Amino acid sequence: MDDLGIVFLSELVGTALLVLLGCGVVANVALAKTKGFNGGFLMVTIGWGLAV
């Protein structure tokens, strides 16, 4: 049986990476003065898909 602490830590790191990458794409599309500004929903969808 796996150690519960390692399982918890791996879930925590995985969720943190998912949120970091996904919300980073949304921030890139929404914030002015970024290369992805006004990129549209397709850019957000592809970014979230790659994050997952």
Side-chain angles (χ1 to χ4, degrees), residues 18-36:
L18 177 66
V19 170
L20 180 72
L21 292 173
C23 291
V25 170
V26 174
N28 190 26
V29 171
L31 294 175
K33 297 182 182 177
T34 59
K35 293 187 183 221

Side-chain angles (χ1 to χ4, degrees), residues 5-50:
I6 293 174
V7 173
F8 174 74
L9 187 63
S10 63
E11 286 287 333
L12 183 73
V13 169
T15 303
L17 282 174
L18 177 66
V19 170
L20 180 72
L21 292 173
C23 291
V25 170
V26 174
N28 190 26
V29 171
L31 294 175
K33 297 182 182 177
T34 59
K35 293 187 183 221
F37 178 65
N38 211 10
F41 76 96
L42 188 61
M43 181 183 239
V44 173
T45 305
I46 291 171
W48 270 103
L50 290 174

